[in-house]
Amino acid sequence: MDEREQARWRARLHGMRDDLLAREPGSRAATDTVTLDQASVGRLSRMDALQGQQMARETERRRAQLLQRVEGALRRLEAAEFGECHGCGEMIDPRRLDADPTSTRCIACAR
């Protein structure tokens, strides 16, 4: 991989990381404890709030997982291992990396 390609991947991965980090404060606030006082909130409203909280927790878990994968891709890029399949050692098809730059396996090894 030449310098130009590395710079392109680095910029894309840093952009992904910055976007994920920017979403962190809002997603953390949505996972706060739901008030269980039925006098101020009805049962159905409370159930909706609990469901919303669970959805926010799952969204936060997925955001953190993707952030970890992006950080891993940046480390592989710095170690000159970006784009190499962890399974067979061959280069991952650039179209696969375009679809998901955090991929660590080629199509054959991912099956």
Side-chain angles (χ1 to χ4, degrees):
M1 183 176 300
D2 65 13
E3 288 290 322
R4 200 172 105 213
E5 286 180 74
Q6 286 182 353
R8 181 175 72 91
W9 286 115
R10 189 174 292 111
R12 182 168 173 193
L13 288 166
H14 279 288
M16 289 173 70
R17 184 180 66 182
D18 293 345
D19 182 49
L20 290 167
L21 290 173
R23 288 191 227 161
E24 184 177 17
S27 63
R28 296 252 180 189
T31 62
D32 288 344
T33 304
V34 174
T35 304
L36 297 176
D37 180 16
Q38 280 191 341
S40 64
V41 178
R43 181 193 293 167
L44 293 178
S45 295
R46 191 176 77 238
M47 288 172 54
D48 284 343
L50 289 170
Q51 182 181 18
Q53 180 189 42
Q54 285 302 110
M55 290 171 46
R57 283 182 180 163
E58 178 62 18
T59 299
E60 171 59 20
R61 186 191 68 76
R62 288 180 184 193
R63 187 200 62 78
Q65 185 180 40
L66 182 55
L67 181 59
Q68 188 175 28
R69 291 176 57 197
V70 168
E71 294 287 350
L74 285 167
R75 283 191 300 275
R76 288 189 303 278
L77 189 63
E78 295 305 317
E81 297 172 355
F82 181 78
E84 290 180 18
C85 176
H86 284 205
C88 65
E90 296 294 320
M91 292 304 291
I92 298 172
D93 189 322
R95 294 173 296 183
R96 179 167 172 80
L97 290 173
D98 280 336
D100 181 7
T102 66
S103 295
T104 58
R105 298 190 181 277
C106 66
I107 293 287
C109 292
R111 292 182 187 171

